[in-house]
Amino acid sequence: MTRHAVVLIPGDGIGLETSAAMQDVVAASGAQIDWEIAKAGAAVMEEYGTPLPDETIQMIKDRKVAIKGPITTPVGTGFRSVNVALRKELKLYANLRPVISIPGAGGRYTDVDLVIVRENTEDLYAGIEFEEGSEEALELIDFIRERGKGDIAKDSGISIKPISVTATRNIVEFAFDYAKAQGRKLVTCVHKANIMKHSDGLFLKVAREVAEERAGAIEFNDRIVDAFCMNMVMDPSQFDVIVFPNLYGDIASDLAAGLVGGLGLAPGANIGADYAVFEAVHGSAPDIAGKNLANPTAQILSACMMLDHLGEQDCARRIREAIKKVYAAGTCLTGDIRTRDRSVAPASCTEFTKAIIDAL
């Protein structure tokens, strides 16, 4: 079996526990992974002056593939998201988030099988912001007023929303290529083009152009984002592969995860032309960190996506089947899962991990 060098960023909070669980399960599957540990997050700020050291970025560039545990992002103040920084530095333009029902996981539906494809580099997450009261913000407010584009209150903070032809074409083509490779039948573009005609309108225009070029086995339609959310909750089976601008994709991926049992079950991948970084979608949950309560399913499923990427599909398949067996049995599940039998005590992270390994 081929050995693979993979960078592991354990993360913080529960990331340390879920990363360890993931490593144990991957090893038990028979996959030959040489883990190379890299640092990121608040814990390295004092040593490096940044939450994402240059040496971590270089390690990923050298090995091409990485997986990370959740990393805490300060709210409102402090450094920007390490996730966002990684996507920018490595040009990981596509965020891939499969959402699939797992029987026994407590989801509201039993037949969800869809994939969210989110553009990763633009939109409001580009991080182009102007602080309230700053000289730049006031100059921009004056510029907008002088051009007759509207009046913005002087005490406003401002974020810029860029949407480009190039990035939109890249992500929509990625969605069509993925749909074709996975034997899927429909790509849906989600937008707010009825209101934001020069940003979301551009996204929709380019998506339609790509769909016309790819006309054939893959169908195409589009939905306004608010209507999409309603329809997703009412009947997720009407969707297959769904492509979004950055912000809507982030929100919708959490919404979709809620339909199948929560973020504890939601894997993700960030993919570019040269590199791939895999990660659980959920946060670092510092309130339960170190208590052996975390659900490592999302990170283990993210590792399955990583194994698929590395050509180790058989190992990935065996892990996914083992996870399904453990959830179907319902006797060894972590406390975040709504089990059928409330008399069954919640399992620890360690106990749940062992159950998966035993089911392999």
Side-chain angles (χ1 to χ4, degrees):
M1 181 176 285
T2 303
R3 298 194 70 86
H4 306 276
V6 175
V7 175
L8 170 62
I9 303 173
D12 54 36
I14 61 170
L16 302 175
E17 297 159 75
T18 61
S19 292
M22 177 274 298
Q23 288 178 278
D24 289 345
V25 171
V26 169
S29 77
Q32 301 296 304
I33 306 295
D34 294 324
W35 301 105
E36 304 199 21
I37 308 301
K39 300 177 181 179
V44 304
M45 282 287 292
E46 183 175 346
E47 181 179 357
Y48 293 93
T50 173
L52 184 59
D54 290 341
E55 65 183 48
T56 294
I57 296 170
Q58 190 58 52
M59 286 177 67
I60 299 173
K61 288 182 176 179
D62 291 342
R63 281 75 175 178
K64 309 295 185 185
V65 177
I67 185 168
K68 58 175 288 297
I71 293 175
T72 304
T73 300
V75 177
T77 60
F79 60 83
R80 293 188 185 279
S81 167
V82 169
N83 298 340
V84 173
L86 277 172
R87 293 164 192 166
K88 286 186 176 181
E89 289 285 345
L90 300 173
K91 296 181 172 58
L92 306 173
Y93 67 89
N95 183 235
L96 190 62
R97 295 185 175 181
V99 182
I100 300 174
S101 296
I102 300 176
R108 297 181 179 277
Y109 298 88
T110 60
D111 59 349
V112 177
D113 183 4
L114 56 86
V115 180
I116 287 174
V117 179
R118 166 189 167 198
E119 201 288 317
N120 238 355
T121 65
E122 296 191 321
D123 198 359
L124 290 170
Y125 281 16
I128 305 171
E129 294 192 294
F130 300 88
E131 186 178 2
E132 177 269 323
S134 67
E135 181 179 350
E136 294 86 355
L138 296 173
E139 288 176 355
L140 183 56
I141 289 168
D142 289 341
F143 175 85
I144 291 169
R145 186 187 66 253
E146 290 165 3
R147 296 304 187 279
K149 295 297 184 179
D151 290 322
I152 298 176
K154 293 284 187 179
D155 57 352
S156 297
I158 301 173
S159 294
I160 303 295
K161 174 176 174 158
I163 300 283
S164 72
V165 171
T166 300
T168 301
R169 175 167 285 275
N170 284 344
I171 197 64
V172 178
E173 288 180 346
F174 181 96
F176 272 90
D177 289 342
Y178 180 87
K180 181 178 180 181
Q182 299 297 319
R184 292 181 177 266
K185 303 300 184 184
L186 172 67
V187 171
T188 300
C189 170
V190 176
H191 59 87
K192 192 67 175 176
N194 56 324
I195 302 298
M196 286 169 279
K197 300 183 184 298
H198 300 302
S199 51
D200 285 32
L202 176 65
F203 192 88
L204 177 59
K205 174 178 177 292
V206 174
R208 286 173 171 169
E209 290 172 355
V210 173
E212 183 65 27
E213 295 164 7
R214 301 295 186 94
I218 309 298
E219 298 179 37
F220 174 81
N221 61 22
D222 69 270
R223 294 286 187 273
I224 295 172
V225 63
D226 41 350
F228 162 80
C229 290
M230 178 189 71
N231 281 282
M232 172 74 95
V233 171
M234 292 179 66
D235 180 16
S237 68
Q238 63 191 290
F239 299 107
D240 194 355
V241 175
I242 318 159
V243 62
F244 298 83
N246 204 334
L247 177 62
Y248 306 149
D250 191 14
I251 296 168
S253 62
D254 283 15
L255 169 65
L259 302 180
V260 298
L263 290 176
L265 309 175
N270 299 286
I271 299 172
D274 301 309
Y275 314 109
V277 178
F278 300 85
E279 63 179 355
V281 172
H282 60 73
S284 59
D287 57 319
I288 63 168
K291 299 180 180 179
N292 202 20
L293 300 176
N295 182 351
T297 301
Q299 194 159 349
I300 295 170
L301 288 174
S302 298
C304 289
M305 297 177 72
M306 178 194 75
L307 291 171
D308 286 336
H309 180 80
L310 293 171
E312 303 292 349
Q313 287 87 356
D314 184 60
C315 292
R317 176 189 57 77
R318 291 179 59 233
I319 293 172
R320 290 185 178 110
E321 289 179 355
I323 288 173
K324 290 178 181 178
K325 289 177 185 176
V326 172
Y327 274 94
T331 58
C332 191
L333 300 175
T334 51
D336 59 308
I337 301 301
R338 295 185 303 143
T339 57
R340 294 186 301 272
D341 185 355
R342 292 291 185 176
S343 66
V344 177
S348 68
C349 179
T350 304
E351 292 168 336
F352 175 78
T353 303
K354 183 179 184 301
I356 293 174
I357 292 171
D358 290 345
L360 282 168

